[in-house]
Amino acid sequence: MRWGRRVLRFALSLGGVVVASFAMLHLIPGDPVRAALGPTAPPETVERRRTELGLDRPLLDQFTSYAGGIFRGDLGESFLSRRPAAEVIADRLPATVQLVAVTMLLALAVAVPLGMWAAARTENGRGRGTDLAFTAATGALSVVPEFLLAVAMVAVFGVTLGWLPVAGKDGPESFVMPVLALAAGPTALLARLVRAETLRELGADYVRLARAKRLPPVRIHLRHLLPNTLTATLTTGGLLLASLLGGSVVIEYVFQWPGLGGAAVEAIAGKDYALAQAAVLVYGAISLTVLLAVDLALGLLDRRSTLGSRG
């Protein structure tokens, strides 16, 4: 029952994404087919293409066909290339998943130990210099737009110094700048969260008892504090992972990364709204799946969560 409620909520949200992605094509001012083919395209060509895409049918009929196609893995056809949108997405999505996965792993690997270290250094008002440096650095990184950071890194490390490739996906070194630009903000936010959670847990009775037993600080932090700080970190990490998918669109465009975000930008720029519609649907479905997975994992790790409650 408690699992079913979340799955039902996921299904309703996914249904909302399907409706929103379908409405997107019909809310575009003017004729999307005319916009894609250009103002010089003959009217009969535009009308024939509209018929091929089924856009001349009643709206409810179009939605029924669209929703049914999703269940069959048919996400429509690109207005321009005439390739199935599912085929384009299958080609481009793995590169986006790689970029986001490496970014998230880096953010967690840096933020958790950094936040716990900062909390240990600044407990009970100690380490004012560390406190100032930590809050200033993480605050600055969390508010700098990722595309500005990406452009600055391209100018310094790609163009001026020539240390790293400025575009494309070719070898491990091509991951460095896109991953760092995408990870900077989430890492800073997670580190601040881990620090706050660790400071709160340091005042708990079980920590005082562990210290009274003269347990080594490393054991207290890793065995007792870390599991209790991961609940909020996991929750926020799931939200950040979903937001990373959106942020990757800009980063992929800046670095010409061959991912789905770049394909979505190209589709919008080329007025290929059918492909953009499919990309929005896939991004929404992945984000909702990530949030559902985090919600279920949170219930397993923390029985105090609402998942552990009755109902």
Side-chain angles (χ1 to χ4, degrees), residues 36-100:
L37 297 180
T40 59
E44 56 272 18
T45 301
V46 174
E47 194 57 36
R48 184 172 63 250
R49 190 71 179 124
R50 283 177 56 80
T51 303
E52 291 173 355
L53 295 169
L55 295 177
D56 57 341
R57 291 183 290 169
L59 199 60
L60 182 60
D61 190 17
Q62 291 184 43
F63 178 75
T64 304
S65 176
Y66 176 68
I70 291 173
F71 284 104
R72 297 191 302 273
D74 179 8
L75 302 181
E77 183 180 275
S78 167
F79 283 0
L80 300 179
S81 68
R82 299 194 175 218
R83 289 181 65 196
E87 187 177 302
V88 177
I89 289 172
D91 287 344
R92 306 291 290 266
L93 185 59
T96 296
V97 172
Q98 288 178 351
L99 177 63
V100 172

Side-chain angles (χ1 to χ4, degrees), residues 17 123 203 214 291 300:
V17 171
E123 183 184 7
R214 298 184 181 279
L291 294 178
L300 293 175

Side-chain angles (χ1 to χ4, degrees), residues 23-284:
M24 167 186 155
L25 187 64
H26 296 274
L27 292 176
I28 295 170
D31 185 350
V33 178
R34 165 62 71 185
L37 297 180
T40 59
E44 56 272 18
T45 301
V46 174
E47 194 57 36
R48 184 172 63 250
R49 190 71 179 124
R50 283 177 56 80
T51 303
E52 291 173 355
L53 295 169
L55 295 177
D56 57 341
R57 291 183 290 169
L59 199 60
L60 182 60
D61 190 17
Q62 291 184 43
F63 178 75
T64 304
S65 176
Y66 176 68
I70 291 173
F71 284 104
R72 297 191 302 273
D74 179 8
L75 302 181
E77 183 180 275
S78 167
F79 283 0
L80 300 179
S81 68
R82 299 194 175 218
R83 289 181 65 196
E87 187 177 302
V88 177
I89 289 172
D91 287 344
R92 306 291 290 266
L93 185 59
T96 296
V97 172
Q98 288 178 351
L99 177 63
V100 172
V102 173
T103 299
M104 197 66 214
L105 289 175
L106 177 65
L108 288 173
V110 173
V112 173
L114 178 62
M116 295 189 73
W117 173 81
R121 292 274 300 177
T122 59
E123 183 184 7
N124 297 325
R126 295 183 289 110
R128 293 185 179 277
T130 301
D131 184 23
L132 179 62
F134 177 84
T135 53
T138 55
L141 285 176
S142 62
V143 298
V144 174
E146 53 210 10
F147 74 91
L148 285 182
L149 192 57
V151 171
M153 292 174 71
V154 168
V156 175
F157 299 107
V159 177
T160 304
L161 299 176
W163 289 352
L164 296 167
V166 298
K169 176 176 176 285
D170 185 19
E173 65 275 10
S174 63
F175 279 79
V176 176
M177 287 199 291
V179 167
L180 289 179
L182 196 55
T187 302
L189 289 173
L190 278 177
R192 291 173 74 98
L193 175 67
V194 171
R195 182 200 176 208
E197 287 294 309
T198 304
L199 285 173
R200 182 173 64 81
E201 293 295 330
L202 283 172
D205 290 341
Y206 70 90
V207 175
R208 287 197 288 269
L209 178 61
R211 285 173 168 170
K213 290 182 177 180
R214 298 184 181 279
L215 295 180
V218 173
R219 183 177 176 183
I220 294 174
H221 280 77
L222 295 183
R223 184 170 179 178
H224 299 285
L225 278 174
L226 182 59
N228 291 316
T229 59
L230 283 182
T231 300
T233 305
L234 184 61
T235 304
T236 306
L239 296 173
L240 288 175
L241 181 57
S243 71
L244 280 177
L245 287 169
S248 68
V249 174
V250 177
I251 294 300
E252 287 183 11
Y253 182 72
V254 171
F255 291 101
Q256 293 298 295
W257 191 262
L260 182 57
V265 172
E266 293 167 6
I268 293 172
K271 299 179 180 177
D272 189 351
Y273 297 120
L275 183 56
Q277 180 187 46
V280 168
L281 177 65
V282 171
Y283 271 116

